[in-house]
Amino acid sequence: MGDVMNATSRLVLFCVLIAVCSSHPTKYPDVNLDVYRAKGTPPPFLSYHIHCMFIAYNNDSISAAMDLRNRFIQHFNLSSTKPCEGLFHQGRLCMFDVDYTNTGPGDPFVSAEWAVFVPLEWYTKTVPWVMQNRGDQDILVHPNSGAEVSDHIHWPLWMGAKWPINAQAFTNQTAF
């Protein structure tokens, strides 16, 4: 019985870690939001994410989303680039692993999605490309400033339909 409980505990811990690591807000631990709040100014944008939302378990939705992802990878020569690692600043254009499991209370997205980490210097190349090539895909582009709620709720750009965001999932609830 102890082996089963131990295995179950490890499985639960693994699932929690996957959920936390797949939430995608980029963390900037050196950004002190209290300083910006005291100044009455929002923090600067330090990077961006592009998210393509799609319906899990819908073959047409998955196929269209993966087609756009593959064309993005090909266009920006990312096929031999390592995936993004963790939730901290990446320092390079990279793809996060596709997330088919955004369904729990700890996830900001209520659907499956794939995402790209976009350094500031890549914004003017990647966002216009997605605008012109997204077809019917619904796209979220949001800044990463350290203010997760404002980044995802108040400051994002949407192409296509706007999908719900679970703002309660963010660890930093500071809004500007």
Side-chain angles (χ1 to χ4, degrees):
M1 185 69 168
D3 289 339
V4 172
M5 290 301 290
N6 194 9
T8 302
S9 296
R10 285 194 309 253
L11 180 59
V12 168
L13 179 60
F14 175 76
C15 291
V16 167
L17 288 173
I18 292 296
V20 168
C21 291
S22 66
S23 296
H24 291 308
T26 294
K27 306 292 184 184
Y28 289 98
D30 295 336
V31 174
N32 184 344
L33 296 176
D34 291 333
V35 170
Y36 293 98
R37 192 178 303 104
K39 291 181 188 178
T41 62
F45 297 162
L46 303 171
S47 64
Y48 292 86
H49 287 167
I50 299 170
H51 295 268
C52 176
M53 315 307 251
F54 61 95
I55 301 169
Y57 313 109
N58 178 305
N59 290 336
D60 292 339
S61 182
I62 293 168
S63 178
M66 292 305 103
D67 177 63
L68 178 60
R69 184 178 193 272
N70 291 336
R71 288 186 292 128
F72 186 96
I73 289 169
Q74 182 177 6
H75 184 81
F76 292 102
N77 298 314
L78 296 173
S79 58
S80 61
T81 302
K82 289 185 348 183
C84 300
E85 299 172 352
L87 297 178
F88 293 91
H89 188 79
Q90 304 294 312
R92 62 190 172 89
L93 183 66
C94 59
M95 305 294 294
F96 288 98
D97 290 331
V98 178
D99 195 343
Y100 294 98
T101 62
N102 280 324
T103 57
D107 295 316
F109 303 108
V110 298
S111 68
E113 52 88 28
W114 59 259
V116 183
F117 178 87
V118 181
L120 294 176
E121 64 271 17
W122 280 94
Y123 182 90
T124 59
K125 297 174 188 88
T126 57
V127 173
W129 187 90
V130 170
M131 285 176 170
Q132 294 176 329
N133 290 277
R134 70 177 185 84
D136 291 332
Q137 295 305 119
D138 299 322
I139 305 292
L140 165 66
V141 178
H142 70 79
N144 295 308
S145 68
E148 297 167 7
V149 171
S150 291
D151 290 345
H152 290 80
I153 304 298
H154 304 294
W155 301 330
L157 303 172
W158 282 93
M159 297 171 227
K162 182 177 179 180
W163 291 49
I165 301 288
N166 175 15
Q168 296 303 311
F170 299 122
T171 57
N172 186 328
Q173 290 292 313
T174 299
F176 285 84

